[in-house]
Amino acid sequence: MIPPESPSMNPARLRKVVFPVAGLGTRFLPATKVVAKEMLPVLDRPLIQYAVDEAVDAGADTLVFVTNRYKHAIADYFDKAYELEAKLAQSGKSDLLALVQGTLPKHVRCVFVTQPEALGLGHAVLCARPVIGDEPFGVILADDLIWNGGAGAGRPGALRQMAAVAAREQAGVLAVEEVPREQTDKYGIVDAVPISERAARVRLVVEKPKPEVAPSNLAIVGRYVLPARIFDLLESTRPGAGGEIQLTDAIEALLHESSVLAYRFEGTRFDCGNKLGLVKATLAMALEDPALAAATREYLRSRGQG
Ligand code: UTP
């Protein structure tokens, strides 16, 4: 008889994923006065739904949302919508009912943890410690939408790709992407030695270096697979760039004691933390949607951009 699957027997599966969603989202004010940035939609789904789908694709069954007190909408979104569901059921709108009920698979649970003050991404990740315990975990920044075709495409999402590399190499894994040199001061930048087509061993990480001192143009984007040891390192991380507790600083400390890889994922990243990125993601999704593609292309053409 085959024994039941356990996380230790299937290390490529990431059981727990953290979603830091406690940032202020100032680039989307005034909308983010009341709506979390992660609830902004790309077509009909909020950014957080794309992120959750990616986590579930990587094997997650425990989703940890690090929120601030304004972010009830995210909890409500993944909760049962009794009244709406009853109305849709009564009126026989089964397609819409399935959409409303399909935000989360039944085997997945959500845990909400509060970050009392926006003290930085590193601090937000540290807030998840009591739920994560001592196993490796994923982190997804939902405002970086990484699209590899979605569930229907049969291709693994970025986090699943990273989980496989983490298990194979017994290493922490950071998603990276080449960015224009002049933008290095917007990202954590790595210096890394290639070990395969997509993976490289990280030697150094620097938070938001100026282009003239950046060790490369390989930027860390919003996906991480990290060992629980990172929590100890975050505990002793002092505020860095911008007065915030930076995850990058704790990763720099991790590098001195264990293997960390930079991984160039397969898929397209849209930086939906800024307006242009959200517009691009929306257009890209519309152009992929059979019901919208032709009309969107026609509209772009009419504006002289198609
Ligand atoms: P950003 O740097 O994008 O900051 O955070 P922000 O506040 O969300 O947005 P802007 O720059 O003001 O427009 C990166 C990620 O880290 C989370 C954010 O929610 C986002 O997913 N974060 C950041 C926290 O959860 N807590 C923090 O204290 C800071």
Side-chain angles (χ1 to χ4, degrees):
M1 195 179 107
I2 301 169
E5 210 175 62
S6 79
S8 58
M9 292 173 62
N10 183 9
R13 180 179 163 199
L14 269 185
R15 287 189 50 236
K16 295 179 179 173
V17 175
V18 177
F19 302 86
V21 290
L24 300 177
T26 54
R27 285 168 287 174
F28 282 103
L29 282 171
T32 43
K33 266 173 88 179
V34 288
V35 185
K37 175 170 66 175
E38 295 77 9
M39 286 303 295
L40 296 175
V42 171
L43 298 188
D44 49 4
R45 300 195 300 154
L47 288 170
I48 195 71
Q49 178 76 65
Y50 292 91
V52 160
D53 290 351
E54 190 184 323
V56 171
D57 169 68
D61 60 16
T62 303
L63 311 180
V64 188
F65 297 87
V66 182
T67 70
N68 62 27
R69 62 205 160 88
Y70 300 111
K71 303 250 169 139
H72 297 298
I74 293 178
D76 290 346
Y77 177 79
F78 289 110
D79 206 353
K80 201 169 164 55
Y82 287 99
E83 209 176 316
L84 176 62
E85 289 179 29
K87 278 197 179 132
L88 293 173
Q90 272 161 21
S91 50
K93 295 186 171 151
S94 50
D95 289 2
L96 293 180
L97 183 61
L99 273 183
V100 170
Q101 291 177 333
T103 53
L104 206 64
K106 292 216 166 12
H107 69 282
V108 175
R109 67 174 182 146
C110 296
V111 181
F112 293 86
V113 176
T114 303
Q115 184 187 24
E117 259 186 281
L119 296 178
L121 175 59
H123 181 258
V125 170
L126 185 54
C127 291
R129 181 174 204 169
V131 187
I132 299 297
D134 60 6
E135 60 187 293
F137 64 100
V139 177
I140 293 186
L141 307 188
D143 55 354
D144 265 336
L145 194 171
I146 300 183
W147 183 245
N148 200 21
R155 293 191 292 269
L159 195 65
R160 174 143 59 112
Q161 299 168 41
M162 294 166 67
V165 176
R168 195 171 60 233
E169 303 289 334
Q170 291 297 300
V173 180
L174 319 173
V176 294
E177 185 175 88
E178 283 180 13
V179 296
R181 257 266 157 199
E182 62 275 15
Q183 289 182 15
T184 57
D185 57 357
K186 292 193 175 74
Y187 295 91
I189 299 290
V190 305
D191 178 20
V193 184
I195 59 165
S196 67
E197 193 195 334
R198 293 190 175 273
R201 201 164 299 284
V202 179
R203 288 194 300 205
L204 181 71
V205 290
V206 192
E207 183 64 18
K208 301 187 170 73
K210 292 205 161 50
E212 55 277 19
V213 295
S216 76
N217 65 340
L218 218 45
I220 304 172
V221 298
R223 303 290 182 278
Y224 307 79
V225 177
L226 296 168
R229 168 73 180 145
I230 199 77
F231 294 125
D232 295 330
L233 301 170
L234 280 167
E235 294 272 12
S236 51
T237 300
R238 302 271 65 84
E244 296 189 333
I245 296 181
Q246 300 288 353
L247 183 58
T248 311
D249 292 343
I251 291 172
E252 168 63 26
L254 184 66
L255 282 179
H256 296 294
E257 49 183 73
S258 62
S259 179
V260 177
L261 301 179
Y263 178 74
R264 291 190 302 114
F265 53 87
E266 194 187 311
T268 306
R269 179 183 73 108
F270 298 96
D271 178 1
C272 295
N274 71 68
K275 291 174 211 168
L276 183 59
L278 191 68
V279 170
K280 286 181 183 172
T282 305
L283 282 175
M285 293 297 182
L287 289 168
E288 274 196 30
D289 184 329
L292 294 172
T296 306
R297 212 170 288 121
E298 180 52 36
Y299 175 68
L300 289 175
R301 214 174 282 129
S302 76
R303 304 285 307 214
Q305 293 160 22

